[in-house]
């Protein structure tokens, strides 16, 4: 009986170690994916969004402090639950905008840096938020939203490459030219066209990339979590 219990305990420990190893491997691969595919674009987008946010924030708060009426009559700040839902939808829309090839619609998410200031101005005007925490929370939200923009841009790159692969045709005008050169027995031209066809085929073949949906999902969840933390801080 004791031996059976001991074997079961060892088996359970082994399963736990395997599961921990799998989770650790997933985290390592996700970090590598971020560092090699997303990080550079994220830093660029984050820098742009932070600069826009700071400038609009300073202008709006400055106008309010100077006594100018920048708050529409009857306007109030959005509730926390409403802001959370809006942030979630914005993260999802910005990321999945990358499904449209060539257009890079996710870049439009950069405008969110100015939109967020609007709600902050309302809350500051009604005295429901503290200025330093509001500013800090806004910067943190920029980190999360810019990550979504970076994911969407990379997603669009991949969908663009896949579209090129699907649009590839093995027959082209070069095939007609090759037939003519073969009739003329111009071997030099034939070899040149064969080389071009091979290069075109290799380019199309390399465009048949795999979309890393799981990595997009995990990074998207992380991005939303960051925006959530920033949003909560702005409400302090």
């Amino acid at each position: 009986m004791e031996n059976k219990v001991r074997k079961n305990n060892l088996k359970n420990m082994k399963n736990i170690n395997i599961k921990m190893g799998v989770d650790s491997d997933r985290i390592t691969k996700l970090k590598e994916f971020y560092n090699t595919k997303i990080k550079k674009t994220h830093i660029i987008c984050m820098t742009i969004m932070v600069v826009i946010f700071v400038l609009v924030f300073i202008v709006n708060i400055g106008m309010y402090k100077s006594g100018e009426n920048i708050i529409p009559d009857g306007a109030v700040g959005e509730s926390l639950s409403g802001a959370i839902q809006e942030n979630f939808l914005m993260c999802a829309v910005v990321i999945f905008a990358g499904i449209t090839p060539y257009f890079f619609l996710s870049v439009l998410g950069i405008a969110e840096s100015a939109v967020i200031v609007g709600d902050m101005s309302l809350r500051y005007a009604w005295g429901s938020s503290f200025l330093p925490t509001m500013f800090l929370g806004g910067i943190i939200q920029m980190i999360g939203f810019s990550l979504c923009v970076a994911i969407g841009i990379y997603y669009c790159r991949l969908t663009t490459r896949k579209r090129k692969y699907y649009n590839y045709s093995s027959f082209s005008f070069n095939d007609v030219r090759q037939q003519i050169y073969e009739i003329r027995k111009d071997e030099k031209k034939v070899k040149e066209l064969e080389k071009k066809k091979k290069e075109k085929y290799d380019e199309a073949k390399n465009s048949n990339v795999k979309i890393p949906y799981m990595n997009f999902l995990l990074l998207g969840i992380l991005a939303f979590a960051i925006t959530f933390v920033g949003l909560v801080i702005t409400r302090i």
Side-chain angles (χ1 to χ4, degrees):
M1 184 69 180
E2 291 181 0
N3 290 335
K4 187 176 181 180
V5 172
R6 189 178 299 170
K7 286 181 179 180
N8 288 334
N9 289 336
L10 290 173
K11 186 177 180 180
N12 291 334
M13 288 293 293
K14 185 177 180 181
N15 291 335
I16 292 172
N17 290 334
I18 291 174
K19 186 176 181 179
M20 290 178 63
V22 171
D23 292 341
S24 177
D25 186 54
R26 164 55 66 184
I27 294 173
T28 301
K29 288 182 178 179
L30 186 63
K31 286 181 179 178
E32 182 181 356
F33 174 78
Y34 171 80
N35 289 330
T36 57
K37 307 296 184 182
I38 305 294
K39 185 177 181 179
K40 184 177 179 180
T41 307
H42 183 202
I43 292 174
I44 294 173
C45 293
M46 181 173 60
T47 302
I48 295 172
M49 293 184 74
V50 167
V51 170
I52 294 174
F53 171 80
V54 171
L55 291 176
V56 177
F57 185 88
I58 292 174
V59 171
N60 275 28
I61 300 302
M63 290 175 66
Y64 173 76
K65 284 187 173 182
S66 65
E68 295 186 41
N69 184 21
I70 62 172
I71 308 300
D73 293 337
V76 294
E78 191 173 20
S79 65
L80 179 59
S81 60
I84 291 173
Q85 292 178 18
E86 184 177 313
N87 281 9
F88 176 79
L89 289 175
M90 181 57 63
C91 288
V93 168
V94 169
I95 291 174
F96 286 104
I99 199 171
T100 305
Y102 300 108
F103 293 104
F104 293 94
L105 298 177
S106 298
V107 174
L108 298 176
I110 290 176
E112 184 67 12
S113 54
V115 174
I116 289 177
V117 178
D119 179 64
M120 290 184 176
S121 299
L122 291 174
R123 299 191 65 79
Y124 181 71
W126 295 107
S128 55
S129 290
F130 186 49
L131 191 60
T133 55
M134 198 165 58
F135 181 79
L136 175 61
I139 294 295
I140 294 174
Q141 286 187 79
M142 293 306 100
I143 297 173
F145 282 121
S146 60
L147 177 56
C148 292
V149 174
I151 297 169
I153 290 174
Y154 182 66
Y155 188 12
C156 186
R157 288 176 181 170
L158 296 183
T159 54
T160 300
R161 290 180 63 183
K162 287 192 76 72
R163 178 57 61 89
K164 290 180 179 179
Y165 171 76
Y166 290 130
N167 289 342
Y168 169 75
S169 175
S170 59
F171 181 81
S172 65
F173 181 68
N174 285 334
D175 292 281
V176 178
R177 293 174 61 194
Q178 184 175 342
Q179 292 294 325
I180 295 173
Y181 289 136
E182 286 177 351
I183 294 172
R184 293 179 179 178
K185 296 183 178 180
D186 190 339
E187 294 184 2
K188 182 179 179 181
K189 292 291 185 180
V190 170
K191 289 181 178 179
E192 288 179 358
L193 289 175
E194 287 179 344
K195 183 180 178 181
K196 288 182 179 179
K197 285 176 64 178
K198 186 177 184 306
E199 289 174 352
K200 185 179 178 182
Y201 171 76
D202 290 339
E203 181 181 355
K205 186 178 179 181
N206 292 332
S207 296
N208 187 22
V209 293
K210 183 179 179 181
I211 307 296
Y213 291 109
M214 182 56 69
N215 287 337
F216 287 164
L217 175 62
L218 294 175
L219 287 179
I221 292 172
L222 175 62
F224 172 69
I226 293 172
T227 63
F228 175 78
V229 171
L231 178 62
V232 171
I233 292 176
T234 62
R235 301 306 173 102
I236 297 176

